Amino acid sequence: MTRVANFNPGPAALPLSALELARDELLDFEGSGMSILEHSHRGAVYMKVHDEAMALFREHARVPADFEILFLQGGASQQFAVVPMNLLHPGQSADYALTGVWAEKAFAEAKNVGTVRKAADTGTDGKYTRVPTQEELNLDPKAAYFHYTTNNTVMGTQYHYAPDTGNVVQVLDMSSDVLSYPLNWSKVGLVYAGAQKNIGPTGITVVIVRKDLIASGRKDIPVIFRYATHAKEQSLYNTIPTFGVYLIRNTLRWIAAQGGVMALKKTNGEKARLIYAAIDESAGFYRGPVEVASRSEMNVVWNLHTPELEAAFLKDAEARGLAGLKGHRIVGGLRASIYNAVPLADVQKLVTFMNEFRETHS
Ligand SMILES: *Cc1c(COP(=O)(O)O)cnc(C)c1O
């Protein structure tokens, strides 16, 4: 068996131990005589897995007691609509910071639900090469909430400060950097994240929402879209993707074994530092478009001088067992997604290859 170094943007690398455990337990889950895939989502065997996944998530993301954790479906993209459906009441307006394609989609979808306003836009030059500074945030003190994308997966930018929005509650799309550093929850009303980048497999979106916002959520929307419905039923209102929850449990067990989020943050910082150094020390052979203060520790993007050279880089990388390095189709270039589960050793292999490729082509 040969496993490659996987730099896919999502679905992305999973911890090897999480996959191995799934393989070992697949046919007969904990002596129950059937696979976890075959158990009722309301039975005791599955419920134990469900509760462990929830508890481990609460522990490692340090979710305060006044927040509910929900496991929902429809991806982060569905939350672009469901957040305003629940939190944006008639007569109110919500603020959005536009920093990339996902933030644009969240803004556009909220516009279908109610009144929205741009509190920042770093893409007016068409580039989104940075996130806004605190000073640039043009905030409405009466806004229903302030929405921002903590890590811009496609553009390769990330906030390295917690925006201050006064009394306005914050909604964070953390799809691509959740669980990679400890979050300060004091200004947060809601966090959502598709699981397929830093939490586990596809199929589940984790939504962490303050209980008072659930209680005051709009009632004039379909039952299935109300956070209150899912909070009341512990995310078992309808049939949950049970195998996804099981793999989230396995991934969170791995996070615990690594020493938790603080330990991951340290390794993530080292991984990112190695790749940015390879770019910065390449005498212009590799070029990173992102402003240094906004550089992402999860998605590192860079370019070579010609599309032909980028194609050659990708081809040689594949041959060396380095997969998933093609940039997003909208921006092109190259991108290494180095989420929690990507080992430091795989990043070291990538950097060695980058240096060798530069030497043979410059
Ligand atoms: C991947 C991603 C999304 C979209 O996630 P889906 O689960 O495919 O809907 C939204 N926001 C960010 C920041 C992402 O990285």
Side-chain angles (χ1 to χ4, degrees):
M1 179 185 77
T2 337
R3 283 177 56 83
V4 299
N6 182 356
F7 299 100
N8 276 340
L14 287 165
L16 185 58
S17 67
L19 295 173
E20 284 171 341
L21 184 58
R23 176 199 60 200
D24 295 346
E25 292 184 329
L26 187 66
L27 299 187
D28 177 7
F29 183 72
E30 293 182 354
S32 66
M34 64 174 89
S35 173
I36 190 65
L37 281 153
E38 301 168 296
H39 274 280
S40 164
H41 64 300
R42 301 190 192 280
V45 172
Y46 170 72
M47 276 310 292
K48 201 167 143 246
V49 171
H50 188 87
D51 291 345
E52 183 184 344
M54 288 272 186
L56 284 171
F57 192 93
R58 187 175 289 279
E59 177 188 345
H60 290 290
R62 295 197 196 152
V63 178
D66 57 334
F67 283 76
E68 292 280 358
I69 300 169
L70 310 176
F71 288 166
L72 305 178
Q73 294 167 63
S77 301
Q78 183 158 297
Q79 292 307 309
F80 295 163
V82 173
V83 164
M85 284 167 75
N86 279 269
L87 305 187
L88 187 52
H89 292 259
Q92 290 183 323
S93 164
D95 273 359
Y96 279 72
L98 299 199
T99 50
V101 295
W102 294 119
E104 277 179 3
K105 285 193 175 172
F107 181 70
E109 195 73 311
K111 216 188 266 182
N112 289 325
V113 177
T115 306
V116 285
R117 204 180 141 267
K118 285 186 196 178
D121 184 351
T122 57
T124 48
D125 57 0
K127 290 212 287 274
Y128 289 126
T129 53
R130 61 188 186 87
V131 298
T133 62
Q134 173 69 43
E135 291 67 40
E136 282 176 296
L137 298 178
N138 167 15
L139 299 165
D140 170 6
K142 291 206 184 70
Y145 59 83
F146 167 76
H147 177 284
Y148 75 107
T149 314
T150 52
N151 182 73
N152 295 279
T153 323
V154 174
M155 307 325 183
T157 65
Q158 188 175 25
Y159 286 80
H160 296 295
Y161 70 98
D164 183 356
T165 52
N167 292 327
V168 175
V169 75
Q170 300 182 2
V171 173
L172 285 62
D173 177 358
M174 293 190 75
S175 292
S176 50
D177 67 356
V178 65
L179 291 171
S180 71
Y181 56 88
L183 179 69
N184 174 358
W185 287 90
S186 65
K187 298 160 186 161
V188 174
L190 187 149
V191 166
Y192 63 94
Q196 69 271 23
K197 285 146 190 163
N198 253 326
I199 308 176
T202 63
I204 293 178
T205 317
V206 180
V207 177
I208 308 116
V209 52
R210 229 171 55 199
K211 288 177 180 170
D212 62 303
L213 294 174
I214 297 175
S216 64
R218 285 176 67 164
K219 308 285 186 294
D220 57 344
I221 59 171
V223 170
I224 185 77
F225 294 130
R226 295 180 202 166
Y227 292 131
T229 304
H230 300 285
K232 188 161 159 275
E233 304 288 341
Q234 284 136 49
S235 301
L236 294 166
Y237 172 72
N238 65 316
T239 315
I240 193 165
T242 50
F243 198 60
V245 176
Y246 164 74
L247 281 168
I248 288 175
R249 181 206 73 164
N250 290 2
T251 303
L252 285 160
R253 281 186 181 180
W254 172 82
I255 289 178
Q258 301 311 297
V261 167
M262 275 313 287
L264 293 174
K265 176 183 153 63
K266 194 158 164 276
T267 312
N268 288 334
E270 176 64 7
K271 281 150 55 182
R273 197 191 60 73
L274 285 173
I275 305 177
Y276 286 119
I279 294 169
D280 292 342
E281 292 160 16
S282 71
F285 183 77
Y286 298 119
R287 286 170 302 171
V290 172
E291 289 189 15
V292 172
S294 295
R295 280 176 164 179
S296 169
E297 293 201 343
M298 293 282 105
N299 309 94
V300 181
V301 299
W302 72 98
N303 295 94
L304 278 84
H305 280 275
T306 64
E308 292 72 32
L309 206 50
E310 286 172 350
F313 180 97
L314 284 171
K315 190 163 161 277
D316 289 5
E318 286 284 344
R320 287 272 212 107
L322 304 165
L325 293 166
K326 199 172 166 46
H328 191 277
R329 62 198 142 75
I330 298 176
V331 292
L334 304 161
R335 170 175 56 173
S337 296
I338 47 173
Y339 304 123
N340 284 343
V342 175
L344 177 61
D346 286 0
V347 171
Q348 286 163 338
K349 270 184 223 155
L350 169 61
V351 167
T352 301
F353 169 71
M354 285 173 77
N355 291 335
E356 286 176 18
F357 188 87
R358 174 176 52 80
E359 276 159 27
T360 46
H361 289 84
S362 54

